[in-house]
Amino acid sequence: MTAIPAPSQSKFGTVLRVTSGNFMEMFDFFLFGFYAQYISKTFFPAGDEFASLMLTFMTFGAGFLMRPLGAIFLGAYVDRVGRRRGLIVTLALMALGTVLIAFVPGFATIGYLAPFLVLVGRLLQGFSAGVELGGVSVYLSEMATPGNKGFYVSWQSASQQVAIIVAAALGYALNVTLTPLQIGDWGWRVPFFIGCMIVPVLFMIRRSLQETEEFIKRKHRPDAKEIFRSMLDNWGLVIAGMMLVAMTTVSFYLITVYTPTFGKSVLKLSTTDSLVVTLCVGISNFIWLPIMGALSDKMGRRPILLFFTLLTIATAYPAMSWLTNLPTFNKMLTVELWLSFLYASYNGAMVVSLTEVMPVEVRTAGFSLAYSLATAIFGGFTPAIATALIEATKDKAAPGLWMTFAAVCGLIATLVLYRKRGDVTPGPGARNSEPETDLKPA
C-alpha cells in the first residue's frame, strides 16, 4: 500500500513536481502551432498556401479529437490506480509523439509517409493530453490547503504559460540567429529536439511524486465499467462542463498558438513582432491566473465566471476590429494583453469549478472528458476555424466572433451549473465553493 505523504513535504515542491510534466505536454503542443507555416511546407506541401496551412492546422486539430478517448480510458485508469502512476503514463505517451514529430524526415524525402507519421505523433500527443490536464488539476485540488483550492489549481494553467514563454523565447532566439531559409529547412526542429532532451529530467521529477492523501483514504476504487456508467449517468454534467471550458480553450489557443500565424500571415507583421507578443501574453497569463484563482477562493467562482464572460462578449470582436484596422505592433500587443486578461481571469475560476462539480469517485475521468470534449469541438480547431473565417468573410477580425461565441457558451454553462443559487464563498478552513446545482452526481 502506498504510504501517506509526510506532512512536512513542501507544497511548493509538490506543485512543481506535478506541473513539470504538464509543462512538457503543453510545450510540445504549442511548438506545432508556433511553427505551423514551416511544418506545412515540410510535411504538407501544396500549390496553395492557404490549403497547405489548413492541412497543417487540421492535423494539429486531429490531436484534439483523440483527447476524449484519452479522457475516458486514461481517466478511468487514473481514477482506479492513482494520480501518480497515471501522470507518469501520460508523460511517456507525449514523449513518444514528440520524438516522432522531431525526427520524421520531410515529404521530399519519404513522401506521404511523412505526413502520416506526423499525424500519428499528434494523435499520441492528443491521447495523452486528454487526461493530463484533468490529472494535474485533480491532484492539485486534492493536495490544496483548506480555502485555497482555487489558488493551487490555477498553477495547472500557469505551468502552461511557462511553456508558452519558453517556446516563444526559443522561437525569438532562432529568428534572430538563423535566416528564414535555415529556420524553414531545419531550424524549426530545434525546439522539438530540446523537448526530447528535457523528457528524461521530467520523468525523474514526476517519479518522485507521492499519491494524494484523499485518494489513499478512499475505500472504494471504481473499476472501468463503473466509471463509464457514471459518465453516462452524468452526461448532463459533462455537457455543461464542456460548455464551461469552451471559452477557456478557444481564447487560450487564439491568443497563444494562433498568434504567431495571425501576426505574420494576416496582419503582415514580422515574425519577431509576433513572437514577442506571444511571449508577453504568456507572462501576462502567468501573472493573472493565480491572482484570479485566489480571488475566486474569496469571492466565489460564480461572480467571476459571469463577469468575465459578459466582458468578453462585449469587447472581443471590437478589440480585434480595432487591431485589424491599420495594424501595428503596439496595437497587437495591447489587444492580445487584453484578451489575455479576459482568458486568465475566467480560467482562474473555471478550472477549479470543474474539479468541484464532478463526482469524487470519477473526478479525473469526468473533468478530463468535459475538458477534452471542449478542446476537441471548440479549442483545438481554433487556428483552423480562425483561418477559415477570415477566408470566408474577408474580415480579418472574424476570430473575435469565434471567441465571442465561446464566451456565450461559458455564460450559459455558468448559469446552468449555478442556477439553483449562488456558490458559497469559502473562508479559511471552510468547504471550497462548490456550486449548488440540479445536476446531481450518480
Side-chain angles (χ1 to χ4, degrees), residues 272-301:
T272 301
D273 285 348
S274 299
L275 288 170
V276 169
V277 169
T278 305
L279 179 64
C280 292
V281 164
I283 295 171
S284 170
N285 291 345
F286 183 81
I287 292 171
W288 285 114
L289 280 163
I291 291 174
M292 301 309 291
L295 187 61
S296 76
D297 288 325
K298 306 301 180 184
M299 294 181 59
R301 322 297 183 207

Side-chain angles (χ1 to χ4, degrees), residues 46-69:
D48 180 74
E49 182 181 355
F50 168 72
S52 180
L53 197 58
M54 281 298 292
L55 283 172
T56 304
F57 280 141
M58 292 300 288
T59 302
F60 178 75
F64 293 96
L65 295 179
M66 290 294 290
R67 283 195 173 200
L69 291 177

Side-chain angles (χ1 to χ4, degrees), residues 239-285:
I239 296 300
M242 176 192 73
M243 293 181 65
L244 192 70
V245 179
M247 177 177 154
T248 278
T249 188
V250 167
S251 57
F252 177 71
Y253 285 101
L254 189 66
I255 66 176
T256 57
V257 173
Y258 182 60
T259 290
T261 300
F262 180 70
K264 184 177 180 181
S265 299
V266 179
L267 302 182
K268 305 305 179 182
L269 300 177
S270 71
T271 301
T272 301
D273 285 348
S274 299
L275 288 170
V276 169
V277 169
T278 305
L279 179 64
C280 292
V281 164
I283 295 171
S284 170
N285 291 345

Side-chain angles (χ1 to χ4, degrees), residues 109-139:
T109 304
I110 59 174
Y112 288 102
L113 185 60
F116 173 75
L117 290 175
V118 169
L119 178 61
V120 170
R122 287 290 302 137
L123 295 179
L124 282 172
Q125 290 180 332
F127 188 73
S128 66
V131 78
E132 171 71 15
L133 298 183
V136 170
S137 299
V138 168
Y139 191 104

Side-chain angles (χ1 to χ4, degrees), residues 161 247-248 250-256 258-259 262 277 280-282 284-285 288 308 311-321 323 331-347 397 399-404 407:
Q161 313 316 314
M247 177 177 154
T248 278
V250 167
S251 57
F252 177 71
Y253 285 101
L254 189 66
I255 66 176
T256 57
Y258 182 60
T259 290
F262 180 70
V277 169
C280 292
V281 164
S284 170
N285 291 345
W288 285 114
F308 282 99
L311 191 58
T312 302
I313 291 169
T315 64
Y317 181 74
M320 291 290 285
S321 295
L323 167 60
K331 288 174 71 172
M332 184 180 183
L333 180 62
T334 300
V335 170
E336 292 287 338
L337 288 179
W338 173 249
L339 298 182
S340 161
F341 173 67
L342 296 177
Y343 152 75
S345 300
Y346 177 84
N347 196 56
L401 295 175
W402 180 235
M403 187 170 174
T404 301

Side-chain angles (χ1 to χ4, degrees), residues 1-223:
M1 183 175 178
T2 308
I4 295 176
S8 60
Q9 187 180 28
S10 165
K11 291 288 187 182
F12 173 80
T14 301
V15 170
L16 183 62
R17 289 184 189 97
V18 72
T19 57
S20 62
N22 191 47
F23 159 85
M24 186 64 208
E25 298 265 354
M26 294 302 103
F27 179 70
D28 291 336
F29 263 66
F30 300 148
L31 289 180
F32 198 95
F34 284 173
Y35 297 102
Q37 283 191 314
Y38 301 113
I39 291 173
S40 66
K41 294 175 182 176
T42 303
F43 298 112
F44 304 95
D48 180 74
E49 182 181 355
F50 168 72
S52 180
L53 197 58
M54 281 298 292
L55 283 172
T56 304
F57 280 141
M58 292 300 288
T59 302
F60 178 75
F64 293 96
L65 295 179
M66 290 294 290
R67 283 195 173 200
L69 291 177
I72 294 172
F73 291 101
L74 291 178
Y77 175 79
V78 174
D79 280 324
R80 181 166 53 87
V81 306
R83 317 307 187 201
R84 175 185 175 275
R85 288 171 61 184
L87 290 174
I88 291 174
V89 169
T90 61
L91 181 59
L93 289 172
M94 175 58 79
L96 182 57
T98 302
V99 168
L100 272 176
I101 295 173
F103 289 95
V104 167
F107 185 89
T109 304
I110 59 174
Y112 288 102
L113 185 60
F116 173 75
L117 290 175
V118 169
L119 178 61
V120 170
R122 287 290 302 137
L123 295 179
L124 282 172
Q125 290 180 332
F127 188 73
S128 66
V131 78
E132 171 71 15
L133 298 183
V136 170
S137 299
V138 168
Y139 191 104
L140 292 172
S141 72
E142 291 183 351
M143 56 80 67
T145 54
N148 294 301
K149 186 182 288 188
F151 174 73
Y152 275 90
V153 175
S154 70
W155 289 102
Q156 176 264 101
S157 297
S159 68
Q160 298 178 31
Q161 313 316 314
V162 178
I164 294 172
I165 294 167
V166 173
L170 282 172
Y172 178 82
L174 288 173
N175 197 63
V176 298
T177 56
L178 300 177
T179 66
L181 184 61
Q182 289 173 321
I183 294 175
D185 250 358
W186 54 268
W188 67 267
R189 293 183 186 265
V190 171
F192 285 95
F193 294 147
I194 292 173
C196 293
M197 293 167 61
I198 294 173
V199 167
V201 178
L202 297 183
F203 267 112
M204 293 177 61
I205 293 174
R206 190 161 270 192
R207 279 173 60 87
S208 67
L209 275 177
Q210 295 182 352
E211 192 54 79
T212 65
E213 291 186 52
E214 183 175 333
F215 182 84
I216 292 171
K217 291 176 180 177
R218 194 174 304 148
K219 294 181 179 179
H220 177 64
R221 311 276 176 84
D223 57 26

